Amino acid sequence: MSTTIIDEALDLLCANYIFPAKATEAAAAIRARRAAGEYDGLDEEILAARLTADLAEVCADKHLRVRIRDADLHDVLTHDEMAAAYREGLRHANYGIARVERLDGNVGYLDLRQVAEASMGGRAIAAAMELIAHTAALIIDLRKNRGGAPNGVTFWTSYLFRDDETHLNDIYDGPSGRTRQFWSLAYLPGARYPDAPVFVLTSDVTFSAGEEFCYNLQALGRATLIGQTTRGGAHPTQFFPITPTVEITVPMARSVNPVTGGNWEGTGVVPDIEVPAAEAFGLAYRRALEHVLTTPAPASVLAEARAALAGPEA
């Protein structure tokens, strides 16, 4: 069984990885280790971890992983079955939106754990943005965000710009050799949020599409990032089942930011204000409340902001 897993993993790697030369080098190294008996007698979980570590030794790519599949995916093997499981998972996760509310002082707060495909999560995203549309500042909490879909990043962040003239990101696709541009959208359901300050919270868990969210806004000067340097994965991937219980995720593309010309692969996104992740919300909330006090808000809102500033959270 281990031979089948290794052979299939390496075939998928060499056929799809965004950096073909690295794929060939990594495959040769793993075949040499197999010939030396290094994978003999390993169960699936240990084998998957070893293969992931050995791939990282050559490729240093945090999206490139061999791993055990979730138990509820063991019978999900075809493309259509995987798409259906993804849709169902998004629905149960509320399309990544864990919490949305108006905080005291008229500050909006979004706790976003996953970036959903825009075609699936668009209505939920629009509803969340409608709830914070009239706030004076916005905190977007990505400290537990582990990624998602690039077009979901485009949908979310388009709300933070006035029109469709903001170039957000490019993604180079290895198999086709094409580069796709991502721009802010011309139409969005509900009101935009183009002017009020935005604070984005980060941690060393923030990953992939969550990092793109951060990186794009930082590069465009549209948000202040507060927290820890993110995990460092900038290569969109595809999942391939090897067996009902083992899969490989292979990066097939790479992000190219139109402002910086680079991305966050391996380095992570460095916040504008670096503090422990647990302290990021308090600092962002204080900054947001201080901004509210500079606005011509109603007296009741200003009083609320002053009271919140005096409280423990800020």
Side-chain angles (χ1 to χ4, degrees):
M1 177 62 76
S2 64
T3 296
T4 300
I5 291 172
I6 293 169
D7 284 339
E8 184 69 15
L10 296 182
D11 287 347
L12 289 165
L13 172 73
C14 292
N16 295 286
Y17 190 45
I18 181 63
F19 300 114
K22 285 289 187 183
T24 300
E25 182 184 351
I30 286 173
R31 289 190 177 107
R33 290 179 184 227
R34 179 174 63 183
E38 294 188 22
Y39 305 119
D40 292 351
L42 301 182
D43 65 28
E44 284 188 343
E45 186 171 359
I46 296 174
L47 176 63
R50 283 286 303 277
L51 289 173
T52 297
D54 293 343
L55 288 168
E57 230 178 69
V58 176
C59 301
D61 191 320
K62 292 181 180 177
H63 274 109
L64 180 57
R65 292 167 288 181
V66 180
R67 61 188 185 184
I68 300 299
R69 307 184 81 208
D70 291 341
D72 56 0
L73 296 179
H74 288 180
D75 296 324
V76 178
L77 296 173
T78 69
H79 176 78
D80 288 345
E81 289 169 341
M82 287 189 288
Y86 173 68
R87 288 193 298 270
E88 186 69 2
L90 277 180
R91 185 173 68 84
H92 284 286
N94 197 36
Y95 303 99
I97 304 165
R99 181 176 160 198
V100 53
E101 65 178 299
R102 174 198 180 277
L103 302 176
D104 285 350
N106 200 29
V107 174
Y109 176 76
L110 286 168
D111 183 357
L112 185 61
R113 309 285 177 88
Q114 184 178 359
V115 183
E117 285 270 356
S119 62
M120 300 176 196
R123 290 176 61 189
I125 295 167
M129 291 304 297
E130 187 67 23
L131 288 174
I132 56 83
H134 304 293
T135 56
L138 176 61
I139 298 170
I140 303 175
D141 192 343
L142 301 180
R143 289 176 294 178
K144 295 182 180 179
N145 192 297
R146 296 178 182 271
N151 66 31
V153 177
T154 297
F155 195 88
W156 273 109
T157 55
S158 289
Y159 279 95
L160 306 180
F161 297 95
R162 189 168 299 282
D163 49 37
D164 61 349
E165 296 186 4
T166 301
H167 191 177
L168 299 169
N169 191 35
D170 292 338
I171 293 181
Y172 171 76
D173 179 71
S176 69
R178 297 176 181 174
T179 297
R180 179 181 175 185
Q181 295 184 346
F182 293 80
W183 290 69
S184 54
L185 300 176
Y187 169 78
L188 293 166
R192 293 179 185 262
Y193 198 89
D195 299 315
V198 176
F199 303 90
V200 177
L201 312 186
T202 65
S203 76
D204 57 3
V205 171
T206 311
F207 190 53
S208 195
E211 295 178 281
E212 185 199 330
F213 203 121
C214 301
Y215 193 91
N216 294 354
L217 293 179
Q218 185 183 58
L220 291 162
R222 182 60 187 93
T224 301
L225 273 55
I226 301 176
Q228 293 174 295
T229 298
T230 62
R231 191 171 160 196
H235 297 155
T237 66
Q238 187 166 333
F239 298 80
F240 297 97
I242 297 172
T243 71
T245 54
V246 178
E247 67 185 12
I248 184 171
T249 64
V250 183
M252 303 176 69
R254 58 184 173 86
S255 294
V256 183
N257 184 273
V259 176
T260 68
N263 61 43
W264 57 96
E265 180 66 36
T267 63
V269 184
V270 180
D272 301 299
I273 303 172
E274 192 153 6
V275 296
E279 299 175 16
F281 172 79
L283 179 55
Y285 191 27
R286 174 171 289 276
R287 293 287 181 95
L289 291 169
E290 289 169 348
H291 167 75
V292 172
L293 294 178
T294 70
T295 69
S300 59
V301 171
L302 296 176
E304 204 176 61
R306 292 189 191 97
L309 270 173
E313 286 195 321

